[in-house]
């Protein structure tokens, strides 16, 4: 009987200690009061559905890529954003497909909720400058390099979660659209038809904040 009582007492005394071990990390996380002022850099991966009809009858397909971002928090809610990413996708036709790469640069603004909170929802909007490039062999077997440039719009909605005062992770849903109208074939202007292109995707990244 004394041994049972002693074991029960040990368990009861251990419960507060276990509770502290479980709650302490959460308390530390909740105690974060990170600032989003100043400069931050981010690296990210992205993927989604790219609808780029390079040829008549072509359809879009999955696109994946990676990129980086430099931003400046002008106020606790508003940041200036510059982002560069490279994507790879495929334009499919009934009997063949063509791989293509797209280089995209975004310039815009980010608006964030909950200043000073560990979890910060945000929305972004801006201008997307994109360059598309691919090679294609015609019916005679001659391969040509095609490229096109356009400007469009990009928007995204996501959430930023701080892990420390200087590091955060984030995920966002993104949408980008535009029309390619300035074409080149083997480096020379080519009067090809205007082509629409849009992408609905997801971006996941890690950000480092340079604190003053």
């Amino acid at each position: 009987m004394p041994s049972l009582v002693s074991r029960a007492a040990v368990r009861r005394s251990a419960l507060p200690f276990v509770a502290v071990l479980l709650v302490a990390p959460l308390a530390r996380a909740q105690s974060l009061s990170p600032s989003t002022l100043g400069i931050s850099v981010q690296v990210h991966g992205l993927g989604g559905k790219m609808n780029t009809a390079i040829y008549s009858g072509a359809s879009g397909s999955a696109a994946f890529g990676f990129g980086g971002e430099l931003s400046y928090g002008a106020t606790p809610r508003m940041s200036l954003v510059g982002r560069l990413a490279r994507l790879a996708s495929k334009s499919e036709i009934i009997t063949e497909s063509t791989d293509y790469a797209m280089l995209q640069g975004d310039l815009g603004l980010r608006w964030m909720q909950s200043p000073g909170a560990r979890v910060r929802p945000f929305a972004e909007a801006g201008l997307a400058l994109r360059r598309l490039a691919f090679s294609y062999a015609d019916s005679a077997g001659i391969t040509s390099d095609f490229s096109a440039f356009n400007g469009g719009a990009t928007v995204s909605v996501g959430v930023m979660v701080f892990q420390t005062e200087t590091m955060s992770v984030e995920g966002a849903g993104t949408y980008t659209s535009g029309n390619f109208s300035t074409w080149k074939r083997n480096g020379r202007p080519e009067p090809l038809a205007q082509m629409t292109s849009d992408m609905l995707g997801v971006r996941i990244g890690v950000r480092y904040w340079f604190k003053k």
Side-chain angles (χ1 to χ4, degrees), residues 178-192:
N179 296 317
F180 287 103
S181 58
T182 306
W183 286 90
K184 288 186 177 181
R185 179 177 182 178
N186 295 327
R188 296 182 178 180
E190 183 78 6
L192 299 179

Side-chain angles (χ1 to χ4, degrees), residues 44-63:
H44 61 265
L46 63 162
K49 178 67 177 294
M50 180 84 77
N51 294 305
T52 303
I54 296 177
Y55 312 102
S56 176
S59 62
S61 60

Side-chain angles (χ1 to χ4, degrees), residues 125-208:
L127 173 67
L129 303 174
R130 303 188 295 174
R131 182 183 183 276
L132 178 146
F134 65 95
S135 296
Y136 182 71
D138 59 21
S139 57
I142 300 175
T143 299
S144 298
D145 294 322
F146 290 85
S147 65
F149 178 82
N150 84 340
T154 181
V155 294
S156 62
V157 177
V159 63
M160 186 181 300
V161 182
F162 279 83
Q163 306 303 306
T164 71
E165 294 285 349
T166 58
M167 192 271 284
S168 61
V169 296
E170 62 189 66
T174 68
Y175 177 73
T176 304
S177 66
N179 296 317
F180 287 103
S181 58
T182 306
W183 286 90
K184 288 186 177 181
R185 179 177 182 178
N186 295 327
R188 296 182 178 180
E190 183 78 6
L192 299 179
Q194 179 174 284
M195 179 190 73
T196 61
S197 174
D198 64 82
M199 178 177 175
L200 182 64
V202 175
R203 182 180 73 239
I204 299 176
V206 178
R207 184 182 304 276
Y208 178 80

Side-chain angles (χ1 to χ4, degrees), residues 52-88:
T52 303
I54 296 177
Y55 312 102
S56 176
S59 62
S61 60
F64 298 96
F66 59 91
E69 178 194 302
L70 176 66
S71 68
Y72 176 75
T75 74
R77 291 184 181 273
M78 189 69 68
S79 296
L80 308 176
V81 179
R83 184 181 298 115
L84 185 65
R86 185 185 187 279
L87 292 151

